[in-house]
Amino acid sequence: MMSVGVPRSLGFFYLHPLYRTFLGELGVQWTESPHTSESDLERLDLCPTDEPCVAVKAAFVHVDRLLRKGCRKIFIPAVVSLSGTSYCCPKMMGLPAMLKAAFGLSDDEFISPVIDMRDDPKGWPRTWISAGRRLGVSSEVRAKRALQEAIRAWREHEHLSVLSGRFIWDTAVMGHSYILQDVFGRRLVERVSDYGSVVTAENVSKEDAEAALRGIYEAERLWTIEARILGAALHLVRSGKVNRLIFVSAFSCGPASIIENYVAKEAGDRGIPLLNLAVDEHSGEAGLLTRIEAFMDSTRVPAPGGHGPALTGGELGGPGDGAPAAGRPSVPAISREVDTGPIGLVDMGNLRYALRSLFAEMGAEAVMPPPLTEDIVRLGKEIAPEFICYPMVTLIGQMRKHAEDGVRKIVMIQGKGKCRLGWYAQVMEEILRKSGYPVRVLSVDSPFPLSQKWGLFVESYRALSGGAHFTKGLRGFRMALTKIAASDRAVDVLRDIRAYEAERGAGDRRFARFLRELDEARSPKEVKAVFGDYCRDMRRIPRLQVDPLRVAIVGEVYVVNEPFVNKDAERILGSLEQRVRVYRTLDVTSWVDYHLFKLPRAVRQYNRVVKCAEPYLPVHVGGHGQESVGETVLAKTLGMDGVIHLFPFTCMPEIIAQNILVKVSSDLDIPVLSLMISEQTGVAGLETRFEAFCDLLEGRRKRSSANEA
Ligand code: SF4
């Protein structure tokens, strides 16, 4: 009898009624892995990379255990979205692909149907019917019925844990079920309940949680499970149903780094003691319990019906937890009306030149982004949530500098997708205001699809342009796009000259002059002339007859495009002893062409990259995670010697890509150097890693040409 293994991880904790009913209705025998044990925490190195959160790493132990137990098939759905408006955490989407890659399982051994109620409401059930077939049930009717029964069982179960009625609980413990009900958090909840009654997110009805979220802009697009946790916390705090709150999350949990800001603000505004706990395999239980006991003892709960005394403070978590501090700066309410103050800009790479032209053409006063420096990073790090992805640290640092210089309105280009970028503007505004800066952070999203987004885009345009006539906006936009295209093409000319120039640095000096002239250009015609002069001069730079190493750079859009953040990685590679020709397709032009205009050639290139990724990562996990995998597969086809994968601290989509690239690299025999970038990343360390990597590539070349000889 074929035995199917079902790992008890992530989605299982929310969807087990669905999984069990589906398999049961199909008459499939299955084995569920037991809860994670203490000893399992010593085997988390089964996960090929260290960056994923502990909840994801534990899943590798569960699959390993099931395979050792003789399970010939592993069943774990890819949970993309559980509602029509929002997604799940990218890691929940990418986990099945990470597990399949790590254990080298075939399509027949690894059954991973998709749940995607947002982007593929009609198509996702088909993946369950094909899963049924691969589980030995050829009847489509039976599989369809099994899925319907499974969804019904899941919906019913959702309400089972809800406790309705006018309860007042001693403590709310908010966090993911797979943290609180597993080895990471179970003991914590037990210890808190020694002090009194405990309520968790599952005990609050979906309706109450959703109602509590209504004050948050586009709350319906928050990650589904985390929205439930946040809504439950806000409901309990606002309705006075709890006396204190403990927010438990996995170390470096992406969604938690966003929702914790709202929890902290509400608890702070209502004087509810809050303890923020991050858990991982290194967090000793004793230490966590001591923190809990200190918190519980110092926030004694009064007789039923009232809140606890003021806090003693020591027990509170790290930066950004919004603990009620009497000294919290009072910031005047923001007027949503258009005002004429200057607009603060933040940037990425050479975007600043395009932005200056855009605002100049609109006749709007713009304040250029403060240049990125260690000081700007410090300003950001001081107020940014601990586990937020690194781009927010540098961006909020620039915003804080603007605010200190008196700028009151700052613009941020972003769109709500699967990763945290979509929440940057409103969370950064929240954090800056909590830190005493009366600023407004405007987010500008793509106007497409026009049917849904045109109105919002016009509102943003009015707020940014001070009501300038749209023809001015169009002229500004055209000038901005011209400068973006020229600077991206100029960078690629520079990459080429760096690989061949006889005198090192000659290309960089000419490029620096190009950027100054580009900034002064006042019309597309002038931009064209500046670019033409630049290319003519670059062609005149004496070149050596060399065969440079061909290295592709892939990764997260901000990190690969912002030299300050990636420590000018391309210049380092371009100045190594070995000659290196860097290739990179992810730049502002390609982003605009695909994400904004959906230009046919950009769509064709995107589909080609996704096709390459699909055997390894079949679902889009947000950001450029899937593209990083596809670009690496493509790099092999294009004859690259190696790939450098750059991504920011705690970036969810790229942590998934990094994990899967281990398999891609060995399957395709292409060296991949994955580097997570944060404020800790140093130039010297990067140089050493690049030198060693290029030595490796050179060694491989010599060996393969020796073998061919
Ligand atoms: S990052 Fe957070 S939400 Fe995502 S899987 Fe890990 S613990 Fe869950």
Side-chain angles (χ1 to χ4, degrees):
M1 174 54 136
M2 162 192 62
S3 67
V4 175
V6 179
R8 185 184 294 268
S9 57
L10 294 190
F12 178 91
F13 282 82
Y14 292 92
L15 297 162
H16 54 78
L18 192 152
Y19 299 178
R20 288 172 175 159
T21 308
F22 179 71
L23 296 171
E25 291 287 327
L26 292 180
V28 170
Q29 297 295 319
W30 78 92
T31 311
E32 288 167 13
S33 57
H35 279 281
T36 314
S37 66
E38 294 283 350
S39 60
D40 287 342
L41 297 182
E42 278 125 42
R43 301 178 59 229
L44 298 186
D45 53 0
L46 281 163
C47 174
T49 52
D50 196 38
E51 279 71 19
C53 58
V54 69
V56 165
K57 286 194 266 192
F60 290 78
V61 180
H62 285 268
V63 170
D64 181 69
R65 178 181 292 134
L66 290 164
L67 293 172
R68 285 166 187 272
K69 234 181 167 178
C71 293
R72 286 298 117 241
K73 291 181 186 285
I74 297 293
F75 176 84
I76 178 169
V79 186
V80 175
S81 70
L82 295 172
S83 91
T85 60
S86 63
Y87 295 110
C88 292
C89 168
K91 291 181 193 166
M92 204 177 257
M93 302 173 193
L95 177 63
M98 294 160 81
L99 293 167
K100 183 170 182 260
F103 290 95
L105 298 168
S106 69
D107 289 350
D108 188 49
E109 295 163 321
F110 199 81
I111 316 290
S112 182
V114 176
I115 305 179
D116 187 356
M117 297 180 183
R118 185 182 183 286
D119 291 349
D120 190 12
K122 294 203 173 49
W124 72 267
R126 273 199 297 279
T127 64
W128 287 70
I129 291 159
S130 86
R133 257 195 308 277
R134 288 156 59 206
L135 290 164
V137 177
S138 55
S139 151
E140 201 164 306
V141 176
R142 185 168 174 199
K144 259 193 193 141
R145 205 175 37 246
L147 182 58
Q148 280 153 6
E149 272 308 300
I151 293 171
R152 193 187 50 70
W154 167 49
R155 295 275 186 227
E156 257 171 35
H157 178 268
E158 272 198 303
H159 306 294
L160 283 184
S161 333
V162 172
L163 300 173
S164 45
R166 271 219 51 77
F167 289 102
I168 293 201
W169 287 276
D170 176 16
T171 309
V173 180
M174 296 288 117
H176 294 100
S177 303
Y178 46 79
I179 299 287
L180 299 180
Q181 295 169 18
D182 206 355
V183 69
F184 320 107
R186 205 171 37 232
R187 272 291 297 119
L188 308 184
V189 177
E190 284 162 10
R191 187 71 190 93
V192 173
S193 50
D194 293 344
Y195 286 80
S197 56
V198 171
V199 60
T200 62
E202 289 70 26
N203 301 143
V204 175
S205 73
K206 193 159 175 268
E207 297 67 28
D208 285 343
E210 283 174 359
L213 288 172
R214 289 215 186 97
I216 298 175
Y217 175 60
E218 290 189 323
E220 74 287 354
R221 301 179 72 179
L222 262 173
W223 302 277
T224 317
I225 293 168
E226 293 72 27
R228 186 72 183 269
I229 296 169
L230 174 59
L234 298 181
H235 168 74
L236 292 166
V237 168
R238 280 191 199 137
S239 56
K241 288 183 176 175
V242 289
N243 295 296
R244 53 193 159 189
L245 195 151
I246 300 177
F247 185 75
V248 184
S249 62
F251 185 89
S252 80
C253 170
S257 68
I258 295 291
I259 65 170
E260 69 176 26
N261 298 287
Y262 293 104
V263 174
K265 179 173 186 319
E266 197 67 36
D269 291 351
R270 312 247 167 185
I272 296 287
L274 166 70
L275 177 63
N276 226 319
L277 282 181
V279 298
D280 70 357
E281 64 271 33
H282 309 297
S283 33
E285 187 177 284
L288 289 171
L289 291 178
T290 310
R291 289 191 63 194
I292 283 186
E293 287 153 7
F295 174 72
M296 300 300 279
D297 294 338
S298 64
T299 55
R300 284 179 305 287
V301 165
H307 287 313
L311 287 175
T312 55
E315 290 73 21
L316 302 179
D321 72 356
R328 177 187 299 259
S330 59
V331 176
I334 305 180
S335 69
R336 289 279 159 213
E337 274 318 300
V338 173
D339 63 35
T340 53
I343 301 160
L345 304 177
V346 291
D347 68 358
M348 176 183 75
N350 301 317
L351 202 51
R352 64 182 48 233
Y353 306 110
L355 291 175
R356 191 200 298 273
S357 290
L358 171 66
F359 284 90
E361 289 288 343
M362 293 198 296
E365 192 193 351
V367 183
M368 292 305 285
L372 280 171
T373 61
E374 297 305 333
D375 199 42
I376 292 284
V377 172
R378 177 187 58 73
L379 287 178
K381 195 69 192 164
E382 282 172 0
I383 59 173
E386 190 173 4
F387 300 122
I388 199 69
C389 30
Y390 186 43
M392 187 198 265
V393 174
T394 49
L395 290 168
I396 204 169
Q398 283 184 315
M399 291 186 179
R400 187 177 177 190
K401 181 75 178 71
H402 272 315
E404 288 183 351
D405 297 344
V407 175
R408 290 292 167 263
K409 195 166 58 172
I410 300 166
V411 63
M412 171 82 199
I413 296 170
Q414 63 166 57
K416 285 233 168 41
K418 294 175 177 172
C419 76
R420 288 173 278 187
L421 174 66
W423 296 90
Y424 271 26
Q426 58 207 101
V427 168
M428 288 202 275
E429 182 177 293
E430 190 61 52
I431 293 169
L432 288 161
R433 298 183 63 73
K434 191 172 88 177
S435 313
Y437 302 103
V439 296
R440 199 175 133 203
V441 180
L442 291 162
S443 67
V444 178
D445 192 355
S446 148
F448 303 107
L450 295 176
S451 57
Q452 291 162 25
K453 294 187 177 176
W454 180 246
L456 207 58
F457 182 79
V458 170
E459 197 193 308
S460 312
Y461 173 75
R462 284 184 52 243
L464 288 174
S465 66
H469 192 272
F470 80 91
T471 50
K472 284 189 171 182
L474 282 179
R475 250 203 327 276
F477 210 46
R478 178 168 172 247
M479 196 51 187
L481 291 177
T482 310
K483 286 195 173 183
I484 287 170
S487 64
D488 282 339
R489 288 173 61 198
V491 171
D492 201 49
V493 170
L494 176 62
R495 290 188 194 109
D496 196 59
I497 200 68
R498 279 177 175 155
Y500 296 94
E501 61 189 358
E503 183 205 337
R504 306 310 286 269
D508 282 90
R509 286 191 291 279
R510 184 59 185 89
F511 179 72
R513 199 178 99 207
F514 162 78
L515 286 180
R516 288 194 300 276
E517 291 168 355
L518 180 73
D519 196 20
E520 287 148 16
R522 290 289 169 269
S523 68
K525 195 159 167 271
E526 282 182 34
V527 172
K528 199 159 175 254
V530 164
F531 181 66
D533 294 350
Y534 165 75
C535 291
R536 188 199 57 234
D537 292 352
M538 291 297 256
R539 279 195 299 276
R540 287 189 182 143
I541 292 176
R543 292 168 167 246
L544 301 177
Q545 287 304 318
V546 291
D547 180 14
L549 295 170
R550 295 156 56 83
V551 173
I553 290 190
V554 304
E556 189 271 336
V557 65
Y558 181 86
V559 165
V560 298
N561 277 285
E562 178 42 67
F564 175 85
V565 167
N566 64 43
K567 305 300 170 192
D568 223 345
E570 293 190 26
R571 185 201 286 263
I572 295 173
L573 285 163
S575 61
L576 293 177
E577 198 185 317
Q578 301 95 334
R579 291 294 176 142
V580 179
R581 175 46 163 112
V582 171
Y583 294 85
R584 172 163 61 84
T585 55
L586 180 55
D587 55 20
V588 182
T589 306
S590 61
W591 190 91
V592 168
D593 289 353
Y594 177 72
H595 290 280
L596 216 54
F597 296 124
K598 294 281 185 257
L599 296 183
R601 68 175 152 71
V603 173
R604 275 195 305 279
Q605 174 62 11
Y606 175 80
N607 293 341
R608 183 180 179 208
V609 170
V610 168
K611 201 150 190 38
C612 289
E614 274 168 355
Y616 293 97
L617 183 53
V619 290
H620 182 270
V621 290
H624 290 84
Q626 191 181 33
E627 292 95 312
S628 294
V629 173
E631 295 268 8
T632 303
V633 173
L634 203 52
K636 180 68 182 181
T637 325
L638 298 171
M640 295 293 156
D641 294 284
V643 172
I644 293 179
H645 174 225
L646 300 177
F647 63 100
F649 174 64
T650 76
C651 174
M652 299 183 283
E654 297 297 339
I655 282 174
I656 296 165
Q658 178 205 25
N659 197 276
I660 291 170
L661 285 176
V662 175
K663 170 80 168 153
V664 173
S665 175
S666 71
D667 276 7
L668 303 183
D669 185 28
I670 182 162
V672 175
L673 176 64
S674 269
L675 295 171
M676 187 169 72
I677 306 288
S678 75
E679 71 282 357
Q680 317 284 339
T681 305
V683 174
L686 217 56
E687 271 172 2
T688 313
R689 300 293 299 273
F690 286 165
E691 274 162 9
F693 187 62
C694 290
D695 286 346
L696 167 92
L697 300 184
E698 206 165 40
R700 283 168 55 92
R701 262 207 184 175
K702 287 191 181 125
R703 279 193 301 284
S704 67
S705 41
N707 296 345
E708 280 157 20

